[in-house]
Structure formats: C-alpha cells, structure tokens
Amino acid sequence: PAPAEAGRAPGPPDGGWGWVVVFGAFVSIGFAYAFPKGLAIFFKEIQDFFGTSYSEIAWVSSIMLATTYGAGPISSILVNRYGSRPVVMFGGLLCGVGMISAAFCTSILQLYICVGFITGFGLALNLQPSVIIIGKYFLKRRPIANGLAMAGSPVMLCTLAPLNQFLFDNFGWRGSFLILGAILLNCCVAGALFRPIGAGTALVKTQVAEEGKDALKGKIAEDGKEMSSALNVPMESETEEEGGKDCFEKINQYLDFSLFKHRGFLIYLIGNVLMFLGFFAPIVFLAPYAKHTGIDEYSAAFLLSILAIVDMVARPTTGIVANSRWVRPRIQYFFSFAIAFNGACHLLCPLASSYTGLVVYSSFFGLAFGMVCAMLFETLMDLVGAARFTSAVGLVTIAECCTILLGPPIGGILIDTFGDYKYMFIKCGAVMVLAGTFLFIMNYYNYRMLAKEEKERKTKEEDPKSVRTENEGRKNWNKDSTQDGPELEPLKEEGGGVKKEMNGT
C-alpha cells in the first residue's frame, strides 16, 4: 500500500474469497431457517410412538425456533469476542450432538432438551455470524451477497422435506435423526470457510511498534478507545470511571434500551410480536394436516417443497419491488400488506379439502411467506437506521421468541380440543390479519407525525428569530456557565458521546 495508507485497514474486497464465504453462509443460514420446519415430517410418527398430544409434540419445533431467535444476542457477543469462524463451527458441532442424542431419547421431555435447546442453540450460533461475516466481505455488492445467502432457507427446505420422508421410510425416526445429525456437522465445514480479514490489523501493529510508546499514546487519544483495543496495547492512564463507562457502552452496544423511546420501533415490535403468534404454526402442521386428510406421506412432504420453491422466487422478486422508487418511500405499507395477505391465505385454507386445493394453498402461502421474510429486517433498518440496527435486532428477537414459542403449541391445543385442523388455521389467519391491519394504521400515524415534525423543524430553521435566539443562548452559556451549566450539561455530554461514537466508527 501507499505510505499514506499504510496504517489503514483494507476495505471489504467485494469478491474473491467473499463468494466462498457467501456459499458457507448459504449452507449455515439454510440449515438455521429450514431445519425446524423440515422436522415436521416426523411429528405424526413421534406422536404415535410416545402417545402424546398435538400440543405436546408442537413444543419441539417451538422450543427450537424460540432458542434460535432468543439466543441471537449471545451469538453476537461471541462473534465480537472470538470471530465468526469458531462460533459457527462450534454451533455446527452442537447441532450434530443434539440430533444424535435425540435418536436415543426415551421421552418427549428428552426431545425438548436435545432437539429444542441443544440443536436450537447450535442453529442460533450458525445464523447471526453468517450474516455478520458477509458485511465484512462486501460493501457495494452486499445486497446481492445477502440475497444469495438468504436463498439457502427455501433451497434447504425444498431439499429437506422429501429427504426426511425418504430417511423415515428406510431408517425410522431414530435412524433419521442419526443421519440428520451427521448432515448438520457440515455446518462446521461451512464455518471453516469464514476466513477472518486481519491484514489491516497486522499493518497497524507494525507501524505502531516503529513509532514508539509516546506516538502510540497520541494516536490512541486521536483515534479513540476502539483503536487501542485493536492494537492490544493497554492505556496506563485509564481510570476506574472510564473502565465502568466502557462496560456500560459494551452492554448498550448490543441492547440499546433507548430504542424503546423510538415510536417507529415500538410500532414494529408490537406488530411483529403479534404476527409471530401465527407465523410458524401453519408450516409446522401443514404436512400432518395433509396426512390427516388421507394424502400419502410423499405427497404431504411435497407440499413443503412447493412452498419452498415459490418462496425461493418470491424473496428476490419482493426485494426488487420493495427497492423501486414507488414502494421504497412507503415500504412499511408494503410490509403490512404482506402480513395481511399471509393471514388471508390461512383463513382460506380450510376450504382446500382436496390435494389440488392444498397445492394452491401452499403456492400462495409460499408467496406470502417469502414477501414477509424478504422485508422483515429491511423495514426495521428503514425505521431505526443502520447505526442502531444491531441493537434493534437483538431486542426484537428477544421479544419475538416468546410468541414464537407459544404459537405452535396453541395451535396444537386447538387441534386437540376440536379434533379439526381448520380452527388452527383460522386462529393463525385472524392473528396475522390483525397484525397487518395494526401495522398499516400505526405506520400511517407514524408517517403523519414524521411529516409534521419535519415541517416544524424546517419552520424553526427558516425563522430568523429562532436562529438569533439560539446564537444569543450560546453567548449567554459562555458568560453564565456557572448558572446554566448543570441544566445544559446533559445535552453537552450527549453531543460529545455522538462525536466519540462517530470517531470510533
């Protein structure tokens, strides 16, 4: 590199080994999203084997999904501490151990622990690091790279559904769990592809060693505390107060609780928590419902493949539509429509009594499911911005895991109570239509308030009196700092914190 750039870390390569990383993310993300849905193939037989109810067997998928979502912040902390490669490899090992142990379970409670908690936590360690490593390898081509990696979910679901049925017919559910545990160990191979980018750090270390200790202290003071930690050089003048502040900043980096004062974030959170109460249950019970109506096992499993194929096409198509100049400024409305459309499909599902009707339902369900998944994180970033997105995702996943955990078991209780699947589909459809309607109305209110606040801000900026008053206030602050200092100090500290964060970034 040129001498002027000798101390700078290289930017994302936007290609090269990055495409190998995308392939590894494709595998790990695909297993993380598709594996809990593909296990529904075995539920009918496991229920008969243990003599359990629909609600009890539904807890297996619920615990796995809730653990995968709820352990997101833990995964983020581990990635920042150890990097993506060892975290994903350890997660793949946990997935394999969990499924292999499940093959020897003798009670439904043991399945909850092995499949739900152990395998679910392993999938959580696969999901978030895969998304984070793509952001380090790509900048300009990041939307394309993310789209290719996220396509792993429908591709894996399309493959796992018939594969699981084939394994069950030849090896039973215990033998199938052994083989699936071995297949999940491929996540370790995918994680091994996540080569860290560390050339820039080595260059900076070499430069600092030549500059000497005095120059190092000046550079640390200029570049901020984040640079000093990257150089592995302790700051001798750091006080206990600064250390406590760093601890608070690290916690706030993952869970920024000030987001609960953000109007758009609260609207998104409430709507999504309500939506997930009926989001996953139809997928979990689709294959058992088809078997209940007298359809053979392979045809029932093929319904999930149809759903995944349509989902595969719907996700990138929705991304293109949502990125258009007509939809992007009001993308929250499009997201609300997708949720309501998803619920309408479930409400109409009981009318599909034949296999042809279920194929049509699966096609529309895949379209609606892909639309929601394609915009799930984009709408959140649209509301809170890229700087607070990581904290927002952590808070949202923690809140959502509660309804994700309860959704399928509530559907199972309805099936056990009424002896019919249609009430489960009606419940899920009604909940999602309600969530979509809530988001549409509240986003309309949010857009109106944002426009009003923007208008007031422009009015204040254009008013010469307000500008003069602001300048006079600054002069008075310099003269009467003793009197006004305590009242303006929080504002001053807040501005300094923002400046420090920008310099650190």
Side-chain angles (χ1 to χ4, degrees), residues 300-331:
F302 187 65
L303 291 175
L304 290 175
S305 298
I306 294 173
L307 188 152
I309 292 171
V310 178
D311 183 13
M312 202 185 309
V313 179
R315 294 195 188 202
T317 304
T318 302
I320 294 173
V321 173
N323 199 45
S324 64
R325 59 179 180 176
W326 300 282
V327 179
R328 187 63 181 269
R330 294 292 183 267
I331 193 174

Side-chain angles (χ1 to χ4, degrees), residues 161-322:
L163 175 63
N164 287 349
Q165 189 61 53
F166 172 79
L167 292 176
F168 174 76
D169 291 340
N170 290 275
F171 305 102
W173 70 269
R174 292 187 184 275
S176 300
F177 278 15
L178 280 173
I179 297 173
L180 288 174
I183 292 175
L184 283 174
L185 290 175
N186 285 287
C187 293
C188 299
V189 181
L193 301 176
F194 293 170
R195 186 171 64 193
I197 302 178
T201 306
L203 287 172
V204 176
K205 286 183 178 180
T206 304
Q207 181 184 6
V208 170
E210 295 174 356
E211 289 176 353
K213 187 175 181 181
D214 296 335
L216 174 62
K217 289 183 179 180
K219 189 173 185 61
I220 292 173
E222 180 181 357
D223 293 343
K225 192 174 296 296
E226 182 179 350
M227 192 66 177
S228 67
S229 63
L231 299 173
N232 294 324
V233 180
M235 295 182 65
E236 298 178 359
S237 60
E238 180 175 337
T239 62
E240 294 181 0
E241 181 179 356
E242 290 175 343
K245 188 175 180 181
D246 288 342
C247 182
F248 176 76
E249 288 176 352
K250 289 179 181 179
I251 296 174
N252 199 53
Q253 179 182 357
Y254 305 111
L255 298 175
D256 184 5
F257 290 102
S258 66
L259 282 166
F260 286 107
K261 298 179 181 179
H262 192 289
R263 183 174 59 244
F265 174 77
L266 288 176
I267 294 172
Y268 177 91
L269 182 63
I270 296 172
N272 275 259
V273 166
L274 183 61
M275 176 196 72
F276 275 105
L277 199 59
F279 192 61
F280 287 114
I283 298 179
V284 172
F285 288 108
L286 178 57
Y289 172 54
K291 294 178 183 179
H292 179 75
T293 57
I295 297 173
D296 63 277
E297 288 83 357
Y298 279 96
S299 298
F302 187 65
L303 291 175
L304 290 175
S305 298
I306 294 173
L307 188 152
I309 292 171
V310 178
D311 183 13
M312 202 185 309
V313 179
R315 294 195 188 202
T317 304
T318 302
I320 294 173
V321 173

Side-chain angles (χ1 to χ4, degrees), residues 370-382:
M371 290 172 64
V372 174
C373 292
M375 293 184 290
L376 195 61
F377 293 114
E378 179 62 34
T379 49
L380 180 59
M381 185 177 289
D382 178 71

Side-chain angles (χ1 to χ4, degrees), residues 65-117:
L65 287 167
T67 305
T68 302
Y69 275 75
I74 300 176
S75 180
S76 296
I77 295 172
L78 291 176
V79 170
N80 282 283
R81 179 65 180 86
Y82 301 105
S84 292
R85 174 187 276 177
V87 173
V88 174
M89 294 179 71
F90 180 65
L93 183 62
L94 278 181
C95 291
V97 170
M99 290 304 298
I100 293 172
S101 302
F104 302 96
C105 290
T106 57
S107 67
I108 193 69
L109 180 61
Q110 294 175 1
L111 278 180
Y112 294 160
I113 297 173
C114 295
V115 180
F117 287 108

Side-chain angles (χ1 to χ4, degrees), residues 116-177:
F117 287 108
I118 299 178
T119 308
F121 186 66
L123 294 177
L125 297 183
N126 276 270
L127 178 59
Q128 200 148 343
S130 303
V131 178
I132 293 173
I133 193 70
I134 290 176
K136 295 181 179 180
Y137 269 91
F138 291 89
L139 181 62
K140 295 180 180 178
R141 300 178 180 176
R142 189 169 59 195
I144 300 175
N146 275 321
L148 292 174
M150 293 299 291
S153 173
V155 170
M156 286 292 182
L157 181 58
C158 182
T159 306
L160 282 175
L163 175 63
N164 287 349
Q165 189 61 53
F166 172 79
L167 292 176
F168 174 76
D169 291 340
N170 290 275
F171 305 102
W173 70 269
R174 292 187 184 275
S176 300
F177 278 15

